[in-house]
Amino acid sequence: MSEGTEKEDVRWVASHEQALGQCTGFLRTNFPNAKLVPVPSTAQAAHALHDLSRHPSSTTETDEASIIPRDLHRLPGAAICSAELGERLSGLVVAQKGVQDVQDNYTRFLLLRRTDADDEEPIPQTNESTFYRATSALALEHLLRNPSIHLIAVHSRAYPYTSAKTNGNAIQPDRKIQAAQQAYMEKYNKRYLVEVVGEVGDDVPGLTKL
């Protein structure tokens, strides 16, 4: 947060959508009235907050601040980022470390490349998105073996309340919330979004177009 800002005054919290999802319980408990602002990265969230803390009344929007909605620029905000980055940016203070709901949660980054891929091969661009449901891992393997399909990203979302280690505090939502969370967990906890670019087609075994 910016120096001099109190938690109860924070009106928005910016971070990457994955980090916001991993800190749902903490944010609900500590910033119940804050608007959650998804941005491209946790680092950009910190830099935007840093820039706004230095120029809170500026009428000229900088590149760093442009990722935050303009109507929030003059309101006290916060960012979820690495503590190391927060400590390096002047005018910001680290309010709390380790704010993820599941303390044994880790983010794994993988860079994948087919052995027969050409380093100079351009990635095709398209403005049309189509969603498919894969019935098995073999269906994905079959899809990714297609040389015209380019893997862009694999997305997953950590589900809150799946670990007893929640910042040292037991979070006890009411029964309706618990039931909704349990239903969500059973339906989505082991599902991933695999983002690819290319012509998938309608006859890939194990893929159903949605």
Side-chain angles (χ1 to χ4, degrees), residues 31 145 158:
F31 301 100
R145 285 181 180 276

Side-chain angles (χ1 to χ4, degrees), residues 121-128 148 150 152 195-199:
E121 184 179 0
I123 302 296
Q125 300 296 319
T126 177
N127 294 322
E128 182 179 354
S148 66
H150 301 269
I152 302 300
E195 187 177 355
V196 301
V197 173
E199 294 293 332

Side-chain angles (χ1 to χ4, degrees), residues 62-129:
T62 63
D63 290 340
E64 290 83 359
S66 64
I67 61 175
I68 305 299
R70 184 178 288 273
D71 62 321
L72 300 178
H73 282 195
R74 299 192 181 188
L75 299 178
I80 297 176
C81 64
S82 69
E84 290 78 7
L85 177 59
E87 291 169 345
R88 286 168 46 194
L89 296 176
S90 61
L92 300 187
V93 294
V94 178
Q96 190 169 336
K97 297 182 180 181
V99 299
Q100 65 271 20
D101 295 332
V102 181
Q103 292 300 300
D104 54 357
N105 171 61
Y106 297 93
T107 300
R108 179 181 299 162
F109 296 92
L110 301 177
L111 178 62
L112 304 178
R113 176 181 178 272
R114 289 192 304 273
T115 56
D116 61 341
D118 185 351
D119 288 337
E120 302 301 324
E121 184 179 0
I123 302 296
Q125 300 296 319
T126 177
N127 294 322
E128 182 179 354
S129 296

